[in-house]
Amino acid sequence: MGAAVQVRGAFEELYGTAPDGVWAAPGRVNLIGEHTDYNDGFVMPFALPHVATAAVARRADGVLRLHSSDVEGGVVEFSLDALEPGTDHEWTAYPAGVVWALREAGHPVTGADVHLASTVPTGAGLSSSAALEVVIALALNDLFELGLQRWQLARLCQRAENVYVGAPTGIMDQTASACCEQGHALFLDTRDLSQKQIPFDLAAEGMRLLVVDTQVKHAHSGGEYGKRRAGCEKGAALLGVDALRDIAYDDLDASLERLGDEAEVRRLVRHVVTEDHRVERVVALLEAGDTRAIGPVLTEGHASLRDDFQVSCPELDLVVEAANAAGALGARMTGGGFGGSAIVLAEAADVDTIAKAVEEAFAAAGFKAPRVFEAVPSAGARRES
């Protein structure tokens, strides 16, 4: 039975009536471009086949009812007029925050009944929260005929996460979930939100991209993410630019010299400027049809995240080391860091060998067994029925 049919059936059982429709929004993997999105830089995510699915019916009485098959407990009910940032610290903050953001922006949302189910792994750095936000935003945009574009929905979802949930995330995750296309990676300029779909069909070229979920959970609203974001803002201020995006790669050494003894800020600046450059290199290689050559750029990006941005962890480092030693084309951590997932680019014929090598390395280190699966560039958010 398809996910949409299951979620529709569960909605009917729960609320005693049929939903007005069923929508889906995917999680994402970021190919390259980490911690650049809140620095007005470049990112390159693609959507996963794993999705958050929502059956939704509109209401006219100012009530929002939420239920998830992934969380224990019954239906949670809110009055729309009572939605306030910072008041909800449960999973419901993500969908409720989207409703709050839509209403605050002046859109006439009058209530909804929602049932959700998600196959996006949580805490794995694959944007399960963005999938949850985007599926609600798309459903409400359709049901209330708001006429918003995909990038506008992404913006509102980011506002929900920043202000309502209180997590200082950039715009990438929501845009990826809302806008990605099957068989492509999304080259996104986070400053002006211009997008370019870059063909990324690995299977056709005899390659695969593995996601290795280390099963180490992270929590972004914790202080480490915020500390690095503040450090990046300090670096931009010290260098007299609006954002680190404005530091040209060729001017990096001179800019780092100007930062003097600000050792931590220097590291953060170096990562962001070199990472933006790596995104541009990957785009150029993919457009030139030289896909295998992106492997070393991925590995280089991991070293920068590990050493300069310092957001890796022993499990993520071990994935990269073990995969590359077993013949991978390249590997790096993906997502915000402090746990979560790594990606591994490999020849199709080497996938089993590499997966086995990573699993054995984890066992030898006494780490919890990782979850390994293939990441196939998939479609963005859509209405299912």
Side-chain angles (χ1 to χ4, degrees):
M1 191 192 301
V5 175
Q6 273 183 315
V7 171
R8 175 179 283 275
F11 181 100
E12 290 177 7
E13 208 171 294
L14 203 60
Y15 295 113
T17 181
D20 294 328
V22 179
W23 290 260
R28 65 97 189 96
V29 158
N30 193 22
L31 182 62
I32 192 80
E34 219 64 82
H35 289 279
T36 49
D37 61 344
Y38 53 81
N39 290 293
D40 282 4
F42 303 125
V43 294
M44 204 172 181
F46 63 86
L48 287 167
H50 306 72
V51 294
T53 306
V56 185
R58 53 183 289 171
R59 297 177 66 105
D61 59 358
V63 170
L64 173 65
R65 294 197 292 179
L66 300 171
H67 184 269
S68 169
S69 62
D70 308 311
V71 183
E72 280 186 28
V75 174
V76 185
E77 187 170 309
F78 298 88
S79 161
L80 297 192
D81 293 336
L83 295 178
E84 281 291 330
T87 56
D88 185 355
H89 303 288
E90 303 299 327
W91 70 271
T92 47
Y94 296 99
V98 171
V99 176
W100 168 83
L102 284 164
R103 283 167 55 84
E104 198 213 23
H107 301 294
V109 176
T110 56
D113 286 338
V114 178
H115 171 66
L116 288 149
S118 180
T119 58
V120 186
T122 57
L126 304 175
S127 296
S128 55
S129 56
L132 208 54
E133 292 156 2
V134 169
V135 74
I136 297 298
L138 185 63
L140 297 177
N141 188 47
D142 286 355
L143 290 179
F144 290 95
E145 299 178 347
L146 305 180
L148 295 166
Q149 300 294 311
R150 293 300 182 98
W151 67 268
Q152 292 173 302
L153 294 177
R155 265 268 160 90
L156 285 161
C157 289
Q158 183 201 11
R159 179 159 174 74
E161 189 148 349
N162 289 174
V163 180
Y164 196 89
V165 178
T169 51
I171 189 69
M172 170 179 65
D173 297 350
Q174 292 85 359
T175 306
S177 186
C179 301
C180 277
E181 291 181 6
Q182 191 165 343
H184 292 75
L186 178 71
F187 176 38
L188 173 68
D189 181 335
T190 65
R191 171 165 280 169
D192 62 12
L193 298 189
S194 59
Q195 303 177 13
K196 189 174 186 185
Q197 301 285 347
I198 309 291
F200 190 55
D201 184 356
L202 293 172
E205 296 189 62
M207 283 174 282
R208 299 285 187 274
L209 191 81
L210 298 178
V211 174
V212 181
D213 176 2
T214 63
Q215 307 270 8
V216 177
K217 302 300 181 194
H218 60 73
H220 267 345
S221 345
E224 291 298 318
Y225 182 97
K227 262 171 37 184
R228 281 157 184 76
R229 184 165 183 163
C232 290
E233 287 165 1
K234 181 180 178 181
L238 289 170
L239 292 168
V241 292
D242 289 338
L244 294 183
R245 146 73 174 279
D246 297 311
I247 307 294
Y249 178 72
D250 291 342
D251 298 336
L252 177 58
D253 290 343
S255 298
L256 293 177
E257 266 182 48
R258 284 174 56 204
L259 290 170
D261 58 3
E262 291 276 1
E264 187 179 348
V265 175
R266 281 165 61 100
R267 285 192 290 96
L268 298 176
V269 170
R270 184 165 53 223
H271 167 70
V272 172
V273 176
T274 57
E275 186 79 347
D276 272 334
H277 186 57
R278 279 186 284 274
V279 178
E280 293 180 302
R281 286 162 63 198
V282 167
V283 170
L285 288 166
L286 290 178
E287 290 190 324
D290 197 3
T291 306
R292 283 171 176 79
I294 75 172
V297 187
L298 302 184
T299 302
E300 197 184 297
H302 182 79
S304 181
L305 287 159
R306 180 191 65 211
D307 302 337
D308 278 344
F309 226 70
Q310 297 187 357
V311 291
S312 191
C313 66
E315 292 86 351
L316 288 167
D317 294 341
L318 186 57
V319 176
V320 174
E321 289 161 23
N324 283 337
L329 295 164
R332 74 171 192 92
M333 59 155 280
T334 186
F338 311 109
S341 299
I343 55 172
V344 178
L345 182 68
E347 301 287 357
D350 297 336
V351 161
D352 291 344
T353 305
I354 291 167
K356 188 164 179 274
V358 170
E359 286 161 358
E360 286 174 353
F362 267 56
F367 294 152
K368 185 177 178 180
R371 175 170 176 246
V372 184
F373 59 92
E374 187 181 342
V376 180
S378 300
R382 64 261 181 198
R383 185 166 188 163
E384 296 279 30
S385 68

